[in-house]
Amino acid sequence: MKAALPEALLLALQQRFGPRCNTSLAMREQHGRDESPIDMPPPDVVVFAESVEEIAFVLGLAHAHAVAVIPYGTGTSLEGHVLAVQGGISLDVSRMNKILAVHAEDLTVTVQAGVTRKQLNEELRHAGLFFPIDPGADASLGGMAATRASGTNAVRYGTMRENVLGLTVVSGQGQVLPTGTRARKSSAGYDLTRLFVGSEGTLGVIAEVTLRVYPLPEAVSAAVCFFASVDAAVQTAIQIIQLGVPIARCELLDANAVRAVNAHDKLGLREAPMLLMEFHGSPASVAEQAQTVQAIAGEFGGKDFEWATTPEARTKLWTARHHAYLSALQTRPGCRCVTTDSCVPISRLAEIINASVEEVEAAGLPYYIVGHVGDGNFHMAYLIDPAIAQERETAERLSHQMVRRAIQLNGTCSGEHGIGLHKQGFLLEEAGELAVDMMRNIKKALDPRGIMNPGKIFRA
């Protein structure tokens, strides 16, 4: 429940931060929404922190006054993570954008939480390195750690869970806590780093992140291949993974998604289900991988292989893939997008996608599908008119049916977007009462006054 912001707290923030403490409606509204279809009143105040010490000051003050704090990076989350359920302080760390250390010899880097993935890769390329986690949006690395993001390269390089080595976290009481080291492994005590990775700002504010990085591959090649059906494309992806082909990216776009990116980016692609793939390695290994994949695709009726070996051509294709969300929104002006994020064992992927397509086609709701099908993760996105309540209800019903099916197949309600506000009921179904109660107890221990991004993951 929203309470008025204490005058003493606001005065202390204004004295410490000056113009970096902002109460204008425009700034508060900007920080009170993300890419989710959920609407909620904005926070009471926005504070721009520029150091770990400033984050600690804000959290210590908020703890004393029992005022909610919502960490904010770039606002690209899809599940309502930055919405101010109880009002309070939106703590913007985007100005904490320094790359603190690059240890090329150890393949590690330490950054402030506001550094974005594109900024980091621009710096790393001069050392012949790159950071592979690519959720599409140019998200902040602190936010990516908080939501346990992954994206298009996860099939080969893993998710943020595998690539975060250590953190500097500020607790809900304003205490600064370092976790992890730059060592590649550790068995020293509880794994606090993994506890905070994926905690969605409910346990503390991630201020600094130490990451694994990788040498730039000697050769990179991308290809698209088209299929008569989504099922044929998915069966191809399953076969690629089961045969152990070390593909770097394997993305599905259904005909609706291809049609949307064609209109948005003027690509002229065949408007049929498509796999967009990328291969990393030596020139010989890349050629071998591509040859194997082309043969597998042929077994499932794959046609019109198109290769992109220059950086410009590859960038054009992947930019189109990342534009799928915005492209689809433009196909129905004024619509909102209800996204799903199911992930299942790779062998069950075709089953869940086929059933989900049948259900949405029967419901008559506009939709598109994209997916990181190489690791069993896909997104069915429903395009709804926010003025028509029945469309929202239909989308939520279809989403619920899909999640229930994913759980029955030993899958998850969220492969990479997190729980936020939108998937709290799904988490309870997936994990069960006992596990969710244990999560609540962890939060109570680390955030006794319940000020850290309240109302997210599970209801207070």
Side-chain angles (χ1 to χ4, degrees), residues 72 75 157 203 213 219 225 239 245 260 340 365 379 391 394 432 456:
Y72 187 97
Y157 297 98
L203 302 180
V213 294
C225 183
Q239 191 75 1
V245 179
T340 68
L365 202 63
H379 310 295
E391 290 197 2
T394 300
K456 313 300 163 54

Side-chain angles (χ1 to χ4, degrees), residues 111-170:
V111 302
Q112 290 184 314
V115 172
T116 67
R117 64 175 185 86
K118 288 184 179 178
Q119 177 191 349
L120 176 58
N121 276 322
E122 180 62 25
E123 176 75 17
L124 290 177
R125 69 182 181 88
H126 301 295
L129 303 172
F130 82 118
F131 180 66
I133 309 305
D134 178 6
D138 189 22
S140 66
L141 292 161
M144 288 169 62
T147 56
R148 204 184 298 131
S150 55
T152 59
N153 278 314
V155 64
R156 178 158 182 171
Y157 297 98
T159 71
M160 289 298 283
R161 180 183 64 186
E162 290 79 33
N163 287 284
V164 175
L165 293 170
L167 300 168
T168 298
V169 178
V170 184

Side-chain angles (χ1 to χ4, degrees), residues 14-210:
Q14 289 171 335
Q15 289 176 337
R16 176 68 182 259
F17 293 94
R20 290 188 286 127
C21 173
N22 194 311
T23 57
S24 72
L25 180 60
M27 184 64 71
R28 291 189 295 117
E29 286 183 338
Q30 176 191 332
H31 285 72
R33 60 175 179 262
D34 57 11
E35 295 298 328
S36 74
I38 305 169
D39 293 314
M40 192 160 287
D44 297 297
V45 60
V46 178
V47 174
F48 292 86
E50 295 182 354
S51 68
V52 176
E53 292 73 24
E54 288 188 345
I55 293 175
F57 176 84
V58 172
L59 291 183
L61 195 63
H63 176 77
H65 289 274
V67 169
V69 177
I70 307 100
Y72 187 97
T74 59
T76 56
S77 59
L78 292 161
E79 304 297 346
H81 291 105
V82 303
L83 304 187
V85 176
Q86 297 180 14
I89 304 165
S90 177
L91 182 59
D92 189 317
V93 299
S94 62
R95 298 186 186 185
M96 293 179 61
N97 57 3
K98 295 183 178 64
I99 296 171
L100 301 174
V102 176
H103 298 277
E105 66 280 9
D106 294 323
L107 298 177
T108 67
V109 61
T110 300
V111 302
Q112 290 184 314
V115 172
T116 67
R117 64 175 185 86
K118 288 184 179 178
Q119 177 191 349
L120 176 58
N121 276 322
E122 180 62 25
E123 176 75 17
L124 290 177
R125 69 182 181 88
H126 301 295
L129 303 172
F130 82 118
F131 180 66
I133 309 305
D134 178 6
D138 189 22
S140 66
L141 292 161
M144 288 169 62
T147 56
R148 204 184 298 131
S150 55
T152 59
N153 278 314
V155 64
R156 178 158 182 171
Y157 297 98
T159 71
M160 289 298 283
R161 180 183 64 186
E162 290 79 33
N163 287 284
V164 175
L165 293 170
L167 300 168
T168 298
V169 178
V170 184
S171 75
Q173 297 99 303
Q175 299 167 318
V176 179
L177 171 69
T179 77
T181 69
R182 289 199 301 111
R184 304 294 279 188
K185 63 181 183 179
S186 171
S187 60
Y190 294 152
D191 192 341
L192 295 180
T193 300
R194 299 299 177 277
L195 177 62
F196 285 103
V197 172
S199 63
E200 303 182 18
T202 64
L203 302 180
V205 178
I206 294 173
E208 296 174 0
V209 189
T210 296

